[in-house]
Amino acid sequence: MVEHRLRRANPGNVALIKTLNLAAQIRLRASWNDASGQIQSRSTFADANSGNAFIASPKVTGLSGQSGVLRLQLWKDETVSPSGEVGVPSDLNADVDVWAEWAFPLAPPAGLPWAGWIGKPSVEITATPDVGDDKNSFAGKRAKFRLRRHGSTVGSLPVRLSLDHTTITRPVAPGTPPPYQSLRALYGSPNGDYTLVAVSGTGTWAADSSQPSNATLGTATIADGQSELILDVVPVTDNLTEYNLIEARILTDPQQNPPRYAPGITKMARVLIFDGPLWTLLPLEGWGPSSETQSLGTAVNAGVVTAAGTWTVPPQIVGRVSGASGGGLWTAQSSTLSTVLGSSFIPFGISFRQNTSTKATVVGEREGRAYQILDDGTGGSSLPTVPSSWLPEGALAISPNANWTVGYANRSNGRIPALWIGTGTAVTAVNLTTTIVNPPVPIAGDAKAVNSSGVVVGRCSGLGVSSLPILRPFRNAGNGASLTIGDWLPVPTGGNGEGVANSVATAGGKHYAVGQFKLPPSSYLGASWTPADSQTLPSLPANLGVLYRNGTFDFQSEAKGINSSLKTVGWSGASSTDPNRRAVIHNGEWQDLNDQHFIHVSSGWILQSAEAISDNNVIVGVGVLSGIQKGFILVPRVNGN
Amino acid sequence: MNRYRNSFLYFAALITMHFSVGGVPELPVLENVQVGNVSAGINQEPRFSYVGFAIEFNNPREKYYRVSFSLYPTNSGVPLRARGERVDFQHQELVGPGLQAYRDDGGGNELSLTAFDQAGLGYGAPWRYMDVFSNAPASSFYYQMRSMTEVFIGYRFPDEDGLHYGWIRFARSDTTFTNIFDLVAHDWHPIPGAAIGAGQPPEIPVATEVVNDGAGGRLLRVGWHPAVATWSFETTDSLIPPVTWTEYPAGGTSAEIPLDGEEPQRYFRLRRP
């Protein structure tokens, strides 16, 4: 019956055991915890010494009608040592002395016969794994309670469980006073936090009530022939930020004469269910050892993903990578570099793929020329030079449908916005500024993005009536139209007119832009522009603010990307080169993508800037992984990841 | 032209303040406020506006504002860069032709002097002030102002008769980052193309010559630039306070002063109306 043998608690203390003077008096004590947790110690021993063997036959009395944990302890009684050592005889040193624990089965109450009591098992509970993901319904990601009975597996065995929690609260918002929001785990659905489901074939689970409660009772029945019942902890998927500790405890069998089981040594187990992240974080690995490779994700397309999370056409990411190649392409399925795009090519944009048989076009800069190449690394060619301008030129973005590419050329005052119409060999280059009539100041700027409707956004001076060469955010009239003097975008209140529109997206037939504006003295803040009523082009500015952390808003922010769901990403921090800046997403206010709500917090990562977001919410950007600049992909989580 | 006896002729252009002062607001600053305007030119158009912005951030936790006080050019006022990388002018440093217009990296030319964040729960709770603008680039004008208590800004503006130059003085009691600069003085030169010393009144060139009055006496004929023809020509017999100035008959750009009277000395000035 006794499966737990006397053992050393700490194998590292072998030397101390070996110095035990066998001439010394050895004491053996049996103590036990009764059902109420009281420590009892009543024992008598019959012992026999034979050579080096010491055999003890303990008889523990007074356990009738009880079950619990019996502990046997063996130690040297130094008060009676022949060497006269001074010690504390009644203390067991768990590091030195030996002990064993045994979950003892029932004994009948005094006066009752043993018949019917013999062979009733002790039951223990553990939790493996003991952490569950609230955002992942994949069974393999669930925490599990495991009830194990010792001894015979004949017949099913109902075991009473109580489900409780530790009280965890938090302020409703950082810095706000009580009352706090309770994060306690409540059993039941739909308003609770989790339910238990028995793994098929191992048994059943029945809660006394399915209504959410602070303390829930239920019966877990270990199936006939099974020694173990596995209970899946199934979190109720919701949008709450949670961190819940569930405590399952084996209760004594309410059937007392005789009970069908006894709670064993381990009669309580805890499970943590937490608010699983929304994205899976993958590094953009480069060419060579990952620990040495720097990379930077700059753009991503949407690909096509099924509802079950399978990529039909995986989103593709382009960016920079150090080592053997300058430009690289990855897919959202893997960190591994998929395609090397050229040693002197710096990619900035990628079009969409309509299906698996089409290729995306990647655009960027190569040796001072705007350049395009297909996603498999073939068909690379420089785009035609922009009329009435000179090199260097560069392509900064391409529309999802690949009809439009935008970027910059150069004139005497520096960069000017440029547009390339078409792809492949039939491309026409356009100076977007030749239609600005009588500009009040010299023209300079660049085009940052374009959507499939040919709506171009960027920044440019010479727009409006100001006598200052202010670089203002702009949008054209769509369909690849060249700029006019009135195409500038107003900035939010407090701004001086400076700004840039970095990205443009289409939703419901309307076009939306995001970027940055200057709030004097020198604070640049994220901005968005939405269409006015009955309009389709972006015009109404909004201040997106900055990230709030540690009681203070950051100094600056920038919106870098927007998708067709109008989700906006960017960075927030002291500056665009601040090593402590954070990749952020805007949900009414900027939120830190480093938060465990969004990603599994992984040591060594700081996500510094989110550069783009696809229509299916794949985010790419750059951060630092163990001190190395590293591009990242955030893939929306589905079952199993 | 005979210039002499200037020792008893005192010509000066009286500084006249042409800005409306609303005063620097008390903290916290919870709304946009116009502290003052700087007007200059024939029609006294406002050339600069000194404005405080209190931009409220979306914050469900507490009230939170980003506050900044900046000088914004209006009506063709153009702030000037003093020398090299320096934007502000030293006291008495000349503001005049040959100086470059000030522009920041993005092409803007507003000049920000004070900025900070403020936050509070309201209901009488104390406000917190945060020096987030310590992150401003060290090369920025604002960053240079952080360690200063007095600033002279030089500027120019076009008027009907040409380009004029002027200065604006800002001051505060100490360099605490929440201590808002006040607009305390400004002046501009009424003669187009003429330089003016920062913090100084414009120097008005005066031509003098002694002529016969046709009756055996002598006259000191005083003449000045037509640009100040509307100014008042005033006189007093003593500069010992209290000084009483009275208008002296003048003909637009000149006046004649008898020299052979009994008075040992007399003082004259041109005063901007």
Side-chain angles (χ1 to χ4, degrees):
Chain A
M1 288 285 293
V2 181
E3 297 175 348
H4 301 273
R5 300 183 182 279
L6 288 173
R7 61 179 183 249
R8 280 175 288 109
N10 187 342
N13 285 313
V14 171
L16 290 173
I17 295 294
K18 285 183 176 178
T19 61
L20 191 68
N21 184 348
L22 291 181
Q25 182 74 25
I26 303 298
R27 294 242 168 165
L28 184 66
R29 180 175 67 186
S31 60
W32 55 283
N33 293 15
D34 65 15
S36 64
Q38 296 296 314
I39 297 175
Q40 308 289 343
S41 181
R42 281 171 287 169
S43 57
T44 59
F45 302 95
D47 60 276
N49 286 293
S50 174
N52 292 332
F54 168 72
I55 301 172
S57 301
K59 178 182 180 183
V60 183
T61 60
L63 300 184
S64 60
Q66 301 284 344
S67 64
V69 179
L70 179 68
R71 170 172 289 179
L72 297 176
Q73 302 163 330
L74 176 67
W75 77 101
K76 172 186 175 185
D77 187 348
E78 295 178 335
T79 58
V80 292
S81 167
S83 61
E85 298 171 60
V86 177
V88 182
S90 59
D91 281 353
L92 176 84
N93 184 340
D95 285 340
V96 176
D97 299 319
V98 292
W99 52 273
E101 288 179 335
W102 171 47
F104 61 90
L106 291 170
L112 290 181
W114 279 82
W117 292 77
I118 301 298
K120 298 302 181 187
S122 60
V123 179
E124 297 180 289
I125 186 169
T126 57
T128 306
D130 60 357
V131 176
D133 182 344
D134 183 49
K135 290 290 188 294
N136 198 325
S137 57
F138 186 61
K141 295 293 182 180
R142 293 172 183 161
K144 301 179 191 310
F145 284 121
R146 298 171 188 270
L147 277 86
R148 173 173 290 273
R149 59 176 166 180
H150 299 280
S152 172
T153 61
V154 175
S156 60
L157 179 63
V159 178
R160 289 292 286 171
L161 287 182
S162 72
L163 300 170
D164 208 339
H165 58 84
T166 55
T167 301
I168 302 174
T169 62
R170 70 169 183 182
V172 175
T176 55
Y180 292 150
Q181 173 188 1
S182 172
L183 297 180
R184 62 178 48 169
L186 302 181
Y187 181 89
S189 65
N191 298 319
D193 297 294
Y194 71 100
T195 57
L196 296 183
V197 174
V199 171
S200 178
T202 66
T204 60
W205 159 254
D208 290 0
S209 169
S210 62
Q211 296 302 311
S213 169
N214 290 346
T216 296
L217 299 175
T219 300
T221 302
I222 303 174
D224 179 19
Q226 297 291 319
S227 62
E228 185 176 67
L229 165 63
I230 301 175
L231 296 173
D232 268 347
V233 179
V234 182
V236 175
T237 302
D238 53 35
N239 292 321
L240 300 176
T241 301
E242 292 169 326
Y243 193 81
N244 295 327
L245 208 55
I246 304 165
E247 194 171 277
R249 184 181 300 273
I250 298 174
L251 304 178
T252 55
D253 189 353
Q255 178 179 309
Q256 290 293 331
N257 192 17
R260 292 158 292 189
Y261 66 90
I265 296 172
T266 308
K267 54 189 174 188
M268 188 272 287
R270 291 192 178 103
V271 155
L272 177 71
I273 61 172
F274 71 100
D275 195 30
L278 297 177
W279 280 279
T280 295
L281 170 62
L282 297 174
L284 295 178
E285 299 297 0
W287 198 263
S290 61
S291 61
E292 300 173 3
T293 304
Q294 294 188 344
S295 59
L296 168 65
T298 54
V300 59
N301 64 15
V304 177
V305 61
T306 67
T310 302
W311 300 115
T312 302
V313 177
Q316 297 169 304
I317 298 96
V318 294
R320 301 176 66 169
V321 60
S322 65
S325 58
L329 184 144
W330 298 259
T331 73
Q333 291 174 308
S334 170
S335 293
T336 304
L337 183 63
S338 172
T339 306
V340 176
L341 296 175
S343 59
S344 56
F345 176 54
I346 304 173
F348 287 109
I350 183 168
S351 66
F352 281 20
R353 295 175 65 186
Q354 302 306 317
N355 50 59
T356 54
S357 62
T358 60
K359 296 173 183 175
T361 300
V362 183
V363 298
E365 300 173 8
R366 184 174 183 271
E367 297 174 347
R369 296 287 299 274
Y371 192 78
Q372 65 177 358
I373 191 170
L374 296 177
D375 60 12
D376 59 359
T378 65
S381 64
S382 295
L383 295 170
T385 56
V386 177
S388 305
S389 64
W390 49 80
L391 301 177
E393 297 174 343
L396 300 179
I398 185 170
S399 62
N401 62 6
N403 286 343
W404 319 93
T405 298
V406 295
Y408 63 89
N410 261 272
R411 287 182 63 83
S412 57
N413 294 303
R415 289 183 173 186
I416 57 167
L419 170 72
W420 290 267
I421 304 171
T423 55
T425 57
V427 178
T428 303
V430 176
N431 177 348
L432 282 173
T433 66
T434 56
T435 47
I436 302 176
V437 180
N438 296 322
V441 295
I443 293 172
D446 42 24
K448 295 287 191 180
V450 59
N451 65 12
S452 293
S453 300
V455 177
V456 182
V457 297
R459 62 180 174 180
C460 191
S461 62
L463 304 178
V465 296
S466 172
S467 60
L468 296 173
I470 290 179
L471 287 168
R472 298 181 185 277
F474 75 77
R475 56 100 186 102
N476 72 346
N479 201 32
S482 292
L483 295 173
T484 64
I485 202 165
D487 281 342
W488 57 281
L489 288 165
V491 299
T493 301
N496 72 342
E498 292 178 43
V500 59
N502 286 321
S503 182
V504 60
T506 305
K510 296 189 174 188
H511 310 293
Y512 300 79
V514 296
Q516 188 184 47
F517 77 104
K518 180 182 178 182
L519 182 67
S522 49
S523 175
Y524 289 83
L525 306 179
S528 68
W529 291 271
T530 58
D533 289 344
S534 74
Q535 302 293 315
T536 58
L537 293 172
S539 60
L540 302 177
N543 179 356
L544 297 182
V546 276
L547 177 65
Y548 185 85
R549 40 177 163 165
N550 302 320
T552 304
F553 278 101
D554 279 344
F555 183 51
Q556 304 193 80
S557 68
E558 182 173 15
K560 302 281 283 187
I562 182 173
N563 68 6
S564 58
S565 302
L566 306 185
K567 284 188 168 60
T568 301
V569 297
W571 61 264
S572 181
S575 72
S576 61
T577 57
D578 172 19
N580 199 33
R581 72 192 186 281
R582 298 305 171 103
V584 289
I585 186 167
H586 202 269
N587 291 311
E589 62 178 347
W590 288 117
Q591 294 177 308
D592 188 349
L593 282 170
N594 292 274
D595 189 278
Q596 64 179 7
H597 178 72
F598 299 117
I599 61 169
H600 284 290
V601 177
S602 175
S603 62
W605 260 115
I606 297 177
L607 308 185
Q608 294 176 313
S609 179
E611 299 288 319
I613 181 170
S614 74
D615 285 346
N616 45 19
N617 300 322
V618 175
I619 298 173
V620 297
V622 66
V624 173
L625 176 59
S626 301
I628 304 293
Q629 177 186 301
K630 188 76 75 176
F632 66 78
I633 325 168
L634 298 183
V635 181
R637 295 187 60 213
V638 292
N639 282 346
N641 70 17
Chain B
M1 184 174 290
N2 182 18
R3 299 174 184 273
Y4 71 109
R5 298 186 74 174
N6 282 345
S7 60
F8 68 91
L9 290 171
Y10 174 83
F11 289 96
L14 184 68
I15 300 172
T16 304
M17 304 301 177
H18 290 279
F19 59 87
S20 56
V21 177
V24 173
E26 298 286 330
L27 299 181
V29 182
L30 302 179
E31 58 185 11
N32 300 339
V33 56
Q34 181 156 336
V35 182
N37 284 326
V38 173
S39 298
I42 293 172
N43 296 319
Q44 294 292 304
E45 292 180 309
R47 304 293 179 176
F48 291 91
S49 188
Y50 186 40
V51 178
F53 280 103
I55 306 299
E56 184 171 7
F57 282 4
N58 177 26
N59 185 10
R61 309 159 192 90
E62 58 184 343
K63 288 283 189 181
Y64 198 105
Y65 297 84
R66 181 151 291 178
V67 178
S68 64
F69 285 81
S70 304
L71 183 69
Y72 288 87
T74 58
N75 293 310
S76 304
V78 176
L80 300 173
R81 187 181 290 277
R83 296 285 184 277
E85 292 302 309
R86 188 160 51 85
V87 177
D88 61 302
F89 286 73
Q90 307 286 338
H91 187 232
Q92 299 183 344
E93 186 176 359
L94 286 180
V95 182
L99 297 175
Q100 290 186 331
Y102 165 76
R103 291 192 188 106
D104 63 23
D105 294 339
N109 64 352
E110 79 286 346
L111 292 160
S112 299
L113 296 106
T114 312
F116 51 85
D117 281 7
Q118 61 185 22
L121 294 172
Y123 307 106
W127 286 79
R128 297 182 292 118
Y129 297 91
M130 289 141 286
D131 189 14
V132 296
F133 285 85
S134 61
N135 292 305
S139 59
S140 66
F141 173 80
Y142 163 78
Y143 199 89
Q144 295 167 20
M145 294 306 100
R146 289 170 57 85
S147 60
M148 302 180 72
T149 56
E150 181 181 56
V151 182
F152 289 100
I153 304 297
Y155 69 91
R156 71 165 187 245
F157 63 92
D159 213 339
E160 296 172 2
D161 54 353
L163 274 181
H164 293 262
Y165 295 88
W167 55 264
I168 307 168
R169 176 174 172 255
F170 293 90
R172 60 180 176 177
S173 56
D174 60 58
T175 59
T176 304
F177 71 92
T178 53
N179 197 356
I180 303 165
F181 275 100
D182 200 0
L183 197 167
V184 294
H186 95 104
D187 205 349
W188 57 280
H189 207 298
I191 299 174
I196 184 172
Q200 300 290 104
E203 292 186 4
I204 308 299
V206 175
T208 61
E209 62 177 333
V210 177
V211 298
N212 292 325
D213 63 1
R218 293 180 304 160
L219 294 172
L220 177 65
R221 182 171 292 160
V222 182
W224 50 86
H225 196 281
V228 293
T230 59
W231 289 27
S232 297
F233 189 60
E234 296 177 336
T235 184
T236 185
D237 55 5
S238 172
L239 294 179
I240 299 173
V243 181
T244 302
W245 293 94
T246 58
E247 186 158 355
Y248 193 90
T253 59
S254 67
E256 293 178 339
I257 304 165
L259 292 179
D260 299 324
E262 296 298 321
E263 288 182 306
Q265 60 187 22
R266 174 157 288 278
Y267 302 90
F268 296 89
R269 73 176 185 182
L270 278 170
R271 183 177 63 84
R272 177 180 281 156

